Amino acid sequence: MAVTAFVTALGVAAGRGVTGSAAVAAAVLAGQLSVGWCNDAADARRDTACGRHDKPLATGELPPRAAALAAGTALGLCVPLSLLSGAAAGAAHLVGVAAGWTYNLRLKHTVLSPLPYAVGFGSLPVFVTLGLPSPSWPAWWAVTAAALLGVGAHLVNVLPDIEDDLATGVHGLPQRLGRPACRWLAPFVMLAAVGVVAAGPPGAVAASDRVLTAVAGTVAVAGTAVPSGPRSRWPFRAAIAVAGMAVAQLLLRGADLA
């Protein structure tokens, strides 16, 4: 829901209009649901072994087949909904969705686990601008910042569950790096996204961007350096706060995206 809301708002800010932004919302929601349900189906046994009581498949409330069917249905809907924005824009979005499925089914177990997140998030500004009335490629800084947000999201998602992942055979890059490294990396990858959006567009960096970057840096350092236990939520909260600042910057620069 958060990704759908962000990309829809980005579509509005970039000039997709009411109809175009609605098409963006429908396509992104279908894609996100397909990736999420695919992940639940693929992880059903691991979630059960880890006692994930927040997962209906892990508790037995639903069979894995139900999630797999839902994921396939959402993916089937995602194809025509993506193509409502045009062939090029639709293809860009479907590449991002395919990256999410590839992560779920294979790459989450490998050192390349951040790559699908970078591709998936990085494709979103491309989807927005290629679907404009005058299609164009997005600015490099928008794609780079979105890709960094994706990598940061990967680290944030994994951070609370590293030990459970290792115990059930998931050895992506964050799990190999370990919790101490990831608790520092997550907020600072998000901070890099803030820096790219601040410094990337042509012209001098505005004073407001300098202040926001300084605030983001302070939050990133404070969230990771504060004395806490190994399972502290502060690095997670710091990463989410800094990501929110980067997202706000992207939305404010929506008109300059193309």
Side-chain angles (χ1 to χ4, degrees):
M1 294 302 295
V3 173
T4 302
F6 160 59
V7 185
T8 303
L10 197 63
V12 172
R16 287 289 297 261
V18 175
T19 303
S21 298
V24 167
V28 173
L29 179 60
Q32 290 295 303
L33 289 175
S34 79
V35 172
W37 286 332
C38 169
N39 184 66
D40 280 347
D43 284 353
R45 290 184 180 179
R46 283 188 291 273
D47 289 339
T48 300
C50 294
R52 290 292 300 271
H53 299 299
D54 58 327
K55 298 277 191 176
L57 272 64
T59 60
E61 295 175 68
L62 287 175
R65 185 174 178 275
L69 180 61
T73 301
L75 181 63
L77 289 171
C78 181
V79 174
L81 290 173
S82 298
L83 294 175
L84 286 176
S85 294
H93 184 240
L94 292 173
V95 166
V97 173
W101 277 68
T102 303
Y103 171 82
N104 291 336
L105 300 178
R106 175 58 186 150
L107 290 185
K108 74 186 301 177
H109 301 281
T110 75
V111 72
L112 297 177
S113 62
L115 181 60
Y117 275 85
V119 172
F121 278 69
S123 70
L124 295 174
V126 182
F127 176 44
V128 168
T129 62
L130 286 183
L132 288 169
S134 298
S136 62
W137 287 96
W140 69 268
W141 49 266
V143 177
T144 303
L148 286 168
L149 286 172
V151 174
H154 177 38
L155 295 168
V156 164
N157 281 338
V158 167
L159 191 56
D161 304 314
I162 285 180
E163 289 78 14
D164 289 341
D165 287 343
L166 291 172
T168 53
V170 178
H171 295 89
L173 182 61
Q175 291 88 352
R176 296 172 193 234
L177 292 174
R179 182 179 295 279
C182 286
R183 62 177 279 135
W184 281 97
L185 274 176
F188 281 92
V189 170
M190 299 299 195
L191 179 60
V194 173
V196 167
V197 181
V205 179
S208 58
D209 286 328
R210 295 179 187 275
V211 171
L212 186 61
T213 303
V215 171
T218 302
V219 171
V221 171
T224 50
V226 65
S228 56
R231 287 182 178 267
S232 169
R233 301 291 287 178
W234 283 111
F236 174 88
R237 292 166 182 155
I240 293 299
V242 177
M245 297 180 202
V247 167
Q249 282 179 299
L250 279 170
L251 293 178
L252 289 172
R253 286 193 165 85
D256 300 323
L257 208 62

